[in-house]
Amino acid sequence: MSFVMVLALLQQAHAQSKTVTGTVTDQSTSQALPGVAVIVKGTTVGTTTGADGTYSIAVPADGNTLVFRFIGYKTLEKAIGNASVVNADLATDQKLLDEVVVTAFGIEKEEKALSYSVQQLGTEEITRANQPNVTNALQGKVAGVIVRQSSGLPGSSSTITIRGNRSFTGNNQPCML
């Protein structure tokens, strides 16, 4: 009798959630988006899309909306209803950011709140450099930034060194005080 009761409870627990699958794509290009966060709204249940933009998630019985989030795209909420397949097309989010400086320790501050000088490099200076890639366009534009091409061939990779490449200890990384 107890074995039947356990089976009934397991079946009831399984019936309380359902699996929803789908594909997340870019709205303008229809290309699959890997790494998109897919979350059941109001819960901690979530997953991410794979390399091909597909996902599979176990939705609790009380979950009725999926939230799709990805950097550079607008957050999208889609109702599940009785569907077992929910596809999503994300639209790009082109917001302009206020001028923010990210320090070596990853702290974001406004430029006027810093106690040291900050250099800015605008798009005009980069495009005026007439370089085939953005990395090479940085050469000579910002103090302390050195750009070296690995070879003189067009399209070759470049190395960016910030703060110089010499030290007394042999460690070139910023130190945390």
Side-chain angles (χ1 to χ4, degrees):
M1 183 71 134
S2 64
F3 178 74
V4 174
M5 187 176 248
V6 169
L7 281 178
L9 288 173
L10 285 174
Q11 184 177 6
Q12 182 181 4
H14 181 69
Q16 290 180 356
S17 68
K18 68 176 181 176
T19 301
V20 176
T21 60
T23 304
V24 182
T25 56
D26 182 298
Q27 191 176 52
S28 59
T29 65
S30 298
Q31 290 185 345
L33 293 175
V36 176
V38 183
I39 303 166
V40 179
K41 186 175 182 178
T43 69
T44 59
V45 177
T47 188
T48 58
T49 58
D52 57 354
T54 61
Y55 72 93
S56 178
I57 189 168
V59 179
D62 60 344
N64 55 6
T65 304
L66 290 178
V67 179
F68 300 88
R69 290 190 181 131
F70 196 52
I71 295 174
Y73 289 84
K74 293 181 181 176
T75 299
L76 176 67
E77 294 186 9
K78 289 197 85 169
I80 300 170
N82 293 328
S84 60
V85 177
V86 178
N87 295 323
D89 294 326
L90 298 184
T92 56
D93 190 8
Q94 298 179 357
K95 292 181 182 175
L96 295 177
L97 297 176
D98 291 334
E99 290 185 13
V100 173
V101 176
V102 179
T103 66
F105 301 114
I107 300 168
E108 295 179 7
K109 292 187 176 184
E110 290 185 30
E111 184 178 354
K112 61 185 174 187
L114 297 172
S115 61
Y116 47 86
S117 67
V118 177
Q119 287 183 287
Q120 294 183 13
L121 185 62
T123 55
E124 299 85 26
E125 290 90 3
I126 294 174
T127 55
R128 205 175 318 138
N130 200 20
Q131 289 286 334
N133 68 35
V134 176
T135 306
N136 291 342
L138 296 175
Q139 179 64 38
K141 303 291 184 203
V142 179
V145 175
I146 300 169
V147 179
R148 290 189 190 101
Q149 284 186 306
S150 59
S151 71
L153 299 174
S156 63
S157 63
S158 299
T159 303
I160 299 176
T161 306
I162 300 174
R163 294 187 323 110
N165 57 357
R166 307 244 187 241
S167 74
F168 291 119
T169 64
N171 183 1
N172 208 24
Q173 300 301 312
C175 62
M176 303 277 267
L177 299 176

